[in-house]
Amino acid sequence: MSSEHFIRADDIHLSVPLQVGNRSSIRSVSVLKDLYLGSRQRELRSLIRGMSFDFHEGERIGLIGENGSGKTTLLRLLAGVLQPSSGHLEIDGTTQALLNMSMGLEQRATGLENVYLLGYCAGLTTEQIDESIPGILEFADLHNAVHDPVRTYSAGMQLRLAFAVATSVKPEILLLDEWISAGDRFFIERSRERLMGHIDASRMLVFASHNASVLGEVCTRGLVLKRGKVIYDGPIDEALEFYGSDGYQES
Amino acid sequence: MHVGTLAGTGEGAPPHRSVRPRPISSWELIQDLIASFRAPGYWTYGAWLDISLRYRSHVLGAFWMIAGTLIFVGVLGSLYSRVLSEGADYYFGHIACGYVFWILILRALQTSSRIYSMNRNMIQNGYVSYTDYVLRMFAELAIILAHNFIVVVLAMVFTPIPLTWAALALLFTVPLFFVTILGSSFLVSIIGARYSDFGELLQSVLRLGFFVTPIIWSAGAGKGALIGAFLYLNPFYYLIEIVRGPLIYGHVPWLEIGATAVMALFVWAVASKLYARAKPYIPLWI
């Protein structure tokens, strides 16, 4: 096994079949037809249209782009949820992903039970989870609420809990979707430390966000995406500048 | 390597993966199952958690797991043992055993048909060990079965029904029962992920299945015998009979065991084929 972890994409494409709603007026007879026969229109939609890049160990990559530009889809490809329809994607390193809001939290279970559940998901053994619990509770600041059901937690507490478990695994590649920057200021401060802590150990981060200031602080490299393509790849400052410029609108 | 453990490629999992359109092996399902059994943390803990959460807020807690079965068997047993005069001695054992194992079949197939959409959030977040979701559900049902089995024991003690040497066959038939249902669950989970209609169809079939399978009636006693050869067209009959025959009636139903074994092979073969084919598309379907 090489010591250098990487992600290498060579002209990856992804098309997915989508069930599309009926375009006819909601007043027409077809509404009734849809009820009994289902609306069976399926369309092949191209979400990623030829992306190539090389990510290296120690890089913190920011994915920049408007809604629908393919950020989340790309993260799902990197997380192994989706597979490219064509092209070649090679990933060397263990991955951890925090891609959607629910983060796999079991709302009715207690915080501690969720630590075990998420820990097992992340591939930890019981002993490893036991060891990491103090650190997780410390970071998530949950000491008083650890035996309360997660549904009683605030959104910020839930976020901290899931984030703390995912990062306690010390994955070689951490994938974060944009909602994470929705956390409170306090969380962002703490998580930045934790993210940077990972970087010291030469780990890789791929982070999708709308928040230019967070991206600018955390990331080293920026990929600007538009309609499933990489239209700019360079140092984060330049990428953010490009995203804000007319060049993005025109490309 | 396989892509099954990608989500949390924790310690020990091969970290390198090459994701390109690849030749699909029919062994994918078996490989994923082996991976699930090597790292059973998620699905065993998850199953326990599901049970614990369901009964946590109840005063009588886990007693409710068997309460429903106890009432069903007690009430229907008292009524029907009079209606079906023949074989009334065995009736409580008959209905208890049939019902308890039917519950597992019913819930396993019903839940499987929407198991991946129920876990959509986890899957979209990268936890793509699909076998784990089915095993989590299955382990939960096995725990419920173990509790419900108390009702069968009660029926056998109080009726009373003697345990015979034929019960030794259970060492073979109970695992066969589980293997067949697990295979069927995988099969149903994939079809259900692709065609959401399938869950509706299955529900109708299962509702009918309860009545056409000798659970509250008996194929050998009274007018039940009139159903004759039609019984042999019902797959649920074989599944129930291989357990109930040796346990309650003290005979080893070789024909039914053979038929179930063939069914198990068929179900696993088709499930493996479909699973390998469907696996990359599951996140897109749900």
Side-chain angles (χ1 to χ4, degrees), chain A residues 143-157:
Chain A
H143 292 288
N144 297 324
V146 72
H147 295 296
D148 296 349
V150 162
R151 65 160 186 265
T152 64
Y153 289 16
S154 68
M157 281 159 89

Side-chain angles (χ1 to χ4, degrees), chain A residues 1 6 16-17 42 76 78-85 87-100 102-104 106 108-110 113 116-117 120-123 128, chain B residues 3 6-11 13 15-22 41-42 45-46 48-50 52-54 56 120-128 130 136 194 280 283-285:
Chain A
M1 196 200 301
F6 61 84
V16 301
R42 278 163 82 88
R76 291 211 169 121
L78 300 181
V81 180
L82 301 173
Q83 294 182 17
S85 323
H88 182 206
L89 176 64
E90 203 172 348
I91 296 164
D92 191 316
T94 57
T95 57
Q96 264 299 307
L98 282 173
L99 300 188
N100 60 22
S102 80
M103 307 159 285
E106 179 66 68
R108 295 167 304 160
T110 68
E113 286 168 336
Y116 280 96
L117 196 64
Y120 287 127
C121 277
Q128 287 170 323
Chain B
V3 191
L6 286 186
T9 41
E11 310 291 323
H16 185 97
R17 62 192 150 103
S18 177
V19 194
R20 75 167 91 202
R22 67 213 158 94
Y42 169 72
Y45 186 73
W48 180 86
L49 199 59
D50 286 340
S52 144
L53 287 174
R54 182 173 315 155
R56 186 166 290 179
R120 183 189 291 121
N121 283 331
M122 291 279 296
I123 293 172
Q124 299 290 18
N125 200 36
Y127 195 68
V128 288
Y130 299 113
R136 176 176 174 177
R194 175 63 185 84
L284 300 174
W285 288 340

Side-chain angles (χ1 to χ4, degrees), chain A residues 112-134:
Chain A
L112 195 61
E113 286 168 336
N114 269 292
V115 170
Y116 280 96
L117 196 64
L118 294 180
Y120 287 127
C121 277
L124 296 180
T125 63
T126 311
E127 295 76 39
Q128 287 170 323
I129 299 174
D130 289 340
E131 279 169 28
S132 61
I133 282 177

Side-chain angles (χ1 to χ4, degrees), chain A residues 83-85 88, chain B residues 1-3 18-29 31 272-273 275-281:
Chain A
Q83 294 182 17
S85 323
H88 182 206
Chain B
M1 77 155 284
H2 66 98
V3 191
S18 177
V19 194
R20 75 167 91 202
R22 67 213 158 94
I24 300 157
S25 146
S26 296
W27 296 105
E28 193 83 17
L29 176 59
Q31 284 169 358
S272 302
K273 263 273 177 281
Y275 183 82
R277 196 83 183 79
K279 194 176 164 186
Y281 301 103

